[in-house]
Amino acid sequence: MTNEAPHDHDHDHDRDHVLLRTEGRAAYITLNRPKALNALSHPMVLRIEQALTAWAQDPGVEVVVIDGAGGRGLCAGGDIRAIYEDARTGGTASADFWRDEYRLNAFIARYPKPYVALMDGIVMGGGVGVSAHGSVRIVTERSKIAMPETGIGFVPDVGGTYLLALAPGELGTHLALTGAPVGAADALLCGLADHFVPAQALPALSRELAVDPVHEVLERHVQEPPAGTLVPARDAWIDHCYAAGTAEEIVARLLARGLPAAKDAADTLLSKSPTAVKVTLAALRGARRPGPLERVLEQEYRVSCAALSSPDLVEGIRAQVIDKDRDPRWSPAALEDVTPADVDRFFAPLDANELGLVATTSPQEVVW
């Protein structure tokens, strides 16, 4: 969500976008593009992976901490404008970026040391990918976590369909289709985070991790979060409505429920790309089958690459980010016009260009 084209950076500038340091027993990653809400570029992903690889081998590093500069959020996602230019010109830069980004997501999920993600403020899309797969995920009263991809004609990626498929009941379906953001308590409920810590305590928590083991530091700072909204909503309408077999039936159930919140969800869902909604529903249901994160990332990579050549991605980014008219003209324009064949196209094998992430190990047991 930045104005910079991908080729505008010189190399030194890119290095400044990810700040790395070690102190005591801890290593720290700070995403440092505050004007772009710390949006991830390809060089940033490679720099993070390089650092994590080195620290995994370094006996002096016992914990890794990731946060975002600027006070507004950890990370608002990937560099949307770069993807827009790439999709318009039929390039391969986005596919190359996603390949390395998804590999990083899998690496974080299996990281052999505690990986502490400070999910303060806005954490969306690719920001979820570098945080919610970590072993210690901390949210605050300012956290706003979302996978808002359907609003730009895209589909939740970075392992987002894996995480949301594991959420209780149909909560993940609701969040994936509508792109609705959640706060701390609801993020904990959905399995996107582990602990609530007040934002003002994060600097102390971060400093103390350089000295003391993770569990001791957490004991000092973890509190009960303010109440969320999804528990009552789940009982009242979410689980019933989103259990429907098709996107059309989900909308019909939401509208028939007679509740303002359910009607709002239907209106939101109907404003998203109909193709993206149907592909997201299919992707989520596919991610529910037992299997490792890597298998879901393989599926997401196929879907993301297919989205690059779909008209809705370019149109969605145009409407939301480029022209900002907030009036996307989706094609097809209605859910009922998206055929099963339209959806299946997104899941077709890429043959020579598959992600090629095979889960060779079980998740590492992290010992604190």
Side-chain angles (χ1 to χ4, degrees):
M1 299 156 198
T2 166
N3 289 306
E4 292 165 286
H7 51 267
D8 285 351
H9 313 309
D10 58 47
H11 193 63
D12 292 338
H13 196 46
D14 283 323
R15 292 182 72 80
D16 295 340
H17 289 163
V18 178
L19 305 179
L20 305 172
R21 66 186 178 89
T22 55
E23 188 180 323
R25 64 200 301 286
Y28 296 88
I29 301 169
T30 298
L31 305 181
N32 185 41
R33 289 181 79 189
K35 289 199 178 98
L37 249 167
N38 302 322
L40 289 172
S41 64
H42 198 164
M44 290 168 72
V45 163
L46 294 174
R47 188 155 155 80
I48 294 166
E49 192 199 12
Q50 196 179 11
L52 289 176
T53 302
W55 290 336
Q57 311 298 326
D58 183 345
V61 172
E62 297 186 47
V63 57
V64 173
V65 184
I66 186 167
D67 67 2
R72 288 166 58 212
L74 174 67
C75 172
D79 194 328
I80 297 290
R81 284 172 184 265
I83 293 168
Y84 174 78
E85 293 302 334
D86 195 43
R88 277 200 339 180
T89 56
T92 63
S94 297
D96 295 342
F97 167 61
W98 291 324
R99 180 180 291 276
D100 288 323
E101 185 184 23
Y102 301 174
R103 286 172 177 273
L104 175 63
N105 302 146
F107 186 33
I108 289 168
R110 301 195 183 279
Y111 202 63
K113 299 177 180 183
Y115 181 97
V116 181
L118 305 184
M119 301 170 72
D120 185 33
I122 290 172
V123 186
M124 295 187 180
V128 172
V130 295
S131 59
H133 297 297
S135 50
V136 184
R137 304 161 303 170
I138 294 171
V139 281
T140 75
E141 72 280 3
R142 305 191 308 190
S143 294
K144 192 175 175 186
I145 300 169
M147 294 299 293
E149 285 74 12
T150 56
I152 56 164
F154 197 50
V155 176
D157 65 335
V158 299
T161 60
Y162 176 84
L163 294 164
L164 292 173
L166 293 173
E170 295 292 336
L171 291 176
T173 316
H174 168 60
L175 297 181
L177 298 188
T178 62
V182 291
D186 291 331
L188 295 168
L189 169 69
C190 292
L192 299 171
D194 305 301
H195 306 287
F196 172 79
V197 173
Q200 64 182 37
L202 289 185
L205 176 144
S206 188
R207 277 195 311 273
E208 289 166 26
L209 287 169
V211 183
D212 295 319
V214 176
H215 64 91
E216 289 181 18
V217 177
L218 289 174
E219 275 166 20
R220 290 175 211 147
H221 295 289
V222 170
Q223 297 185 16
E224 281 296 311
T229 60
L230 288 182
V231 170
R234 187 184 162 194
D235 293 342
W237 56 277
I238 287 177
D239 277 2
H240 167 75
C241 297
Y242 288 97
T246 66
E248 291 91 330
E249 175 64 17
I250 287 171
V251 171
R253 287 191 188 186
L254 288 167
L255 292 172
R257 206 64 179 164
L259 294 168
K263 183 188 182 304
D264 285 349
D267 291 344
T268 299
L269 204 155
L270 289 169
S271 73
K272 307 301 182 187
S273 156
T275 302
V277 165
K278 286 202 166 176
V279 173
T280 297
L281 186 61
L284 268 181
R285 302 242 156 119
R288 277 185 179 169
R289 293 192 296 274
L293 168 65
E294 284 82 354
R295 190 184 61 73
V296 179
L297 286 165
E298 296 272 2
Q299 173 178 280
E300 289 181 351
Y301 189 69
R302 292 175 177 179
V303 170
S304 295
C305 289
L308 268 183
S309 59
S310 139
D312 280 4
L313 180 59
V314 169
E315 173 60 9
I317 299 175
R318 180 207 64 75
Q320 300 295 343
V321 182
I322 309 294
D323 299 338
K324 295 190 167 67
D325 58 26
R326 306 283 191 265
D327 186 25
R329 307 223 186 287
W330 304 123
S331 174
L335 286 169
E336 54 270 23
D337 298 330
V338 181
T339 67
D342 293 336
V343 174
D344 289 344
R345 180 180 83 80
F346 283 78
F347 296 92
L350 296 169
D351 301 324
N353 295 318
E354 293 283 6
L355 186 58
L357 256 189
V358 181
T360 50
T361 55
S362 57
Q364 299 269 359
E365 283 303 308
V366 176
V367 182
W368 291 347

